[in-house]
Amino acid sequence: MPMLAELEGLKVYFYDQGDKRFIRACEDIKFSIKEGTVLGVVGESGCGKTVAALSMMGLIDGEPGVIEGRFFFKPKQKDRRSVMLAVMRGSRKDRDFRRGELFDLFNGLKRCVEYDQYPYTIIKDSERWLRKNNRIMEHVRGKNISMIFQDPSRSLNPFVPVGIQIEKTIKWLSKNEKKGQLESEVAELLREVRIFNPKVVMNMYPDALSLGMAQRVVIAIALVSRPKLLIADEPTTGLDTTNKYRIIELLQQAMEKHDMSLLFISHNIGIVGSIADDIAVMYAGIIVEFGSKQQIIIAKRGPKHPYTEALVSSVPTDADIKKGKKLKVIQGIVPNNKMEVVGCPFLPRCPYAVGKIRRKCRERCPEAFEVTPGHSIRCWLYAN
Amino acid sequence: MVRFLKVFMREILNAVLLIIGVTTLLYLIFNIMPGSFIGKGQGFVGYIDIIRRLFTFKFGISPVSGRDIGNLVFPAFRNTLILTIGSIIVSLLISVPIGIFSSYRRFKSYSWTLSIFSYIISSIPVFFLGYLVIYLISRYTAVLPIYYLYEAQRGKPILSYVLPIIVLGIGNDSISEIVRLVGGELERVMSEDYVVASKARGERVLQSSIHEGIIIPIISIIFSKIPFLIGGAVIVEHVFNWPGAGRLAFQATLDRDLPVLVVIAFLSVLFVRAAALIKSMILYYYQTSER
């Protein structure tokens, strides 16, 4: 299958003005999304999943820090020309800005590279990253990539009825629409996300909606533009179990209907396993394992990162429940991002780091080793 | 409509109460003070007489200057009104862009430079700024008149409005307040989750955030500034020799021209309450049109 998006070497640091040090949110993130597939990103909270998604959208602005990396994306045929022009205009001479049909939306730019120096050098946006990135993202945000945020009720404007909010988005994306047509279009969209009384819901304010309804409305807004990639940032958090699976079903149907890819972020490996084709497991800002669902969840044996193994085994099976076994937990907590982590971040919680290998783990975090094609693990256990 | 009437009647009632209070107080004080005016020492009957004169706008003749008070006071108030409104517009023109800019580009060095600049210029006292401007303008250029030109004299009076309006607009210390307000409100609105979400949809959020966040606070702060502006206008009117209400009041105080003072107090109350009325009407209109 052809590639839709490739993220490479994404590095996001925030600067903590109080402690005068960097907070490491993402370190060398690398994953790829194929067209028409689902990539699930799993990890505990505070592992940098949301930050990675936000920086893909170019939505981390204002705050001083470091953003660096490359993000290749294949835009729609309609927007291909404008994206190409925007990327070319800001591109640096020494970098290639395209890889086949994919264009580098980050443009190989860096933002604020003076580490650990006087604070003012950090506030400086050395290559005008923000402005250049915004110029490119104008053609991408909403039109090619849409995003669903964590808390659906908070990502709707509380002062405006939901119908008008959807209308606004439609108007924004296609300039010439007639009024009557707009309303029927909104109703159509709402019906598509399984809201069966759209005429009523359209005139409701967001506070009158239940969480599941609000999530549906948010998905409807995200689907207005028929994006190629939908980033769903914990869309099922806070919903009850039946609603969770309904929302997932909805997303899957929308994917099939609009030929869309999905980046599904969640901390629930069970949910991710039920929807994703590929899975990236994140821990403390790095991707510890990347592979297909088969390789990561379904295969009982075979190479796995200790963290993935712990995550998978923490989901109880039917047999476990019948026997009344205790739930398995991962010992310890996620390391504080503020600390300078030397070596593998999972080391304090890792049951396999014993004996000779432990010294290696303590020295530095390994690169990603490809154990089988398309399955890479960052662990010294699988170093060849 | 009922709500509109409710708001309207509340404002009118406020104004009436305030006028009664102010005139009562003035009447009591003036009865104690030396000097003479119509109705002095006649108790309640005299008070009613004054009220009647005020509300019919037939103020009579000033015992000190022998001129008709209406002819004296109305042009002065017109001038002060022009000065006040013009200076508000000048303040807005300076402060709103700085506020928006400094919150939208928060971490740029020039944004905090602009904020500091706004604090500096609004902390310069009006009398100092006025004389400074007069000195600079009259010494190095001859573009603008530095005092009020009566139409009988040569020259255009409209040009003589420029300097006082600008000086009062800069010096009325509302610039820093508005900058802080606009910056804070805009920052608050723009960091809301739903604004980030609509940004992710590709919409431009600045305009809608301005619409949502700062129009109502600006309207309320502007109209509540009007009483203070009248006070600030006294100094500017003196510096620029501007025939406004503040200077007239000052002169009347020196002359013990009590009838003129009563009329000026009455008109000031009307002025301030009218501003409050307009403010609540605008806010009412704005809030209903939002829905």
Side-chain angles (χ1 to χ4, degrees), chain A residues 57 59 61-64 123 138 141-142 149 154-159 169 172 221, chain B residues 105-108 110 112 193-194 196-197 199-204 208 212 290-291:
Chain A
M57 295 289 281
L59 284 178
D61 54 355
E63 285 169 68
I123 292 164
E138 253 175 52
R141 256 187 234 142
F149 287 87
R154 270 168 62 195
S155 55
L156 292 169
N157 190 340
F159 307 114
T169 315
W172 175 259
I221 293 178
Chain B
R105 298 252 177 271
R106 204 169 2 147
F107 290 101
K108 291 288 169 62
Y110 44 76
W112 62 258
D193 280 3
Y194 62 84
V196 178
K199 213 174 174 183
R201 271 173 246 147
E203 289 166 26
R204 296 221 171 86
S208 65
E212 204 163 277
E290 278 283 279
R291 281 168 197 282

Side-chain angles (χ1 to χ4, degrees), chain B residues 65-83:
Chain B
S65 62
R67 290 170 63 187
D68 185 45
I69 297 177
N71 287 344
L72 213 59
V73 164
F74 285 126
F77 261 90
R78 190 202 63 197
N79 283 341
T80 301
L81 197 66
I82 291 171
L83 190 61

Side-chain angles (χ1 to χ4, degrees), chain B residues 89-105:
Chain B
I89 291 171
V90 169
S91 308
L92 281 182
L93 283 180
I94 296 174
S95 57
V96 170
I98 291 181
I100 290 174
F101 198 69
S102 63
S103 74
Y104 191 55
R105 298 252 177 271

Side-chain angles (χ1 to χ4, degrees), chain A residues 10-16 21-29 46-49 51 66 115 282-288 334-346 364-365 378:
Chain A
L10 175 71
K11 195 186 270 181
V12 184
Y13 292 176
F14 295 113
Y15 188 72
D16 186 347
R21 65 194 321 169
F22 281 101
I23 296 167
R24 211 174 62 148
C26 295
E27 177 83 62
D28 272 343
I29 301 252
C47 283
K49 308 183 297 283
V51 169
V66 180
Y115 300 90
M282 266 184 97
Y283 185 78
I286 64 172
I287 288 194
V288 291
V334 182
N336 191 345
N337 283 348
K338 278 184 194 176
M339 289 188 309
E340 194 62 42
V341 181
V342 184
C344 179
F346 192 59
R364 70 185 177 86
C365 189
R378 288 182 81 159

